[in-house]
Amino acid sequence: MAHHLTTVVLEAAWRRTITEHCQRILQAVEDSPTDVLANLVASTEVVDEAWRRYRRSLDGATRGPYPLPEAA
């Protein structure tokens, strides 16, 4: 159960990270020079790391001692 909760939290964190990244890009589209915009678009390290942490959690969930919850 605890592992499932960790996965849920990591998924929410990944989605929040994407939202924040997209908001920065949208703001840059309106106000920033093109080189700044290009750097923001290319800079995905934080989003990528959140994705890797989420995927590692999912991989562990499929091999871990706790079964995945059934869909309601």
Side-chain angles (χ1 to χ4, degrees):
M1 181 66 147
H3 186 52
H4 172 69
L5 292 176
T6 299
T7 302
V8 169
V9 168
L10 288 172
E11 179 184 2
W14 172 63
R15 290 177 181 272
R16 186 175 54 252
T17 301
I18 292 171
T19 300
E20 291 167 358
H21 183 68
C22 290
Q23 287 171 340
R24 284 190 295 275
I25 291 171
L26 285 172
Q27 183 178 3
V29 166
E30 297 294 326
D31 302 327
S32 298
T34 56
D35 60 330
V36 171
L37 177 59
N39 285 335
L40 278 173
V41 169
S43 177
T44 62
E45 295 86 14
V46 174
V47 173
D48 293 343
E49 180 57 27
W51 172 252
R52 283 190 291 272
R53 291 181 69 202
Y54 170 59
R55 289 304 306 179
R56 278 193 301 266
S57 179
L58 282 178
D59 291 345
T62 60
R63 293 185 309 234
Y66 303 107
L68 295 175
E70 297 193 23

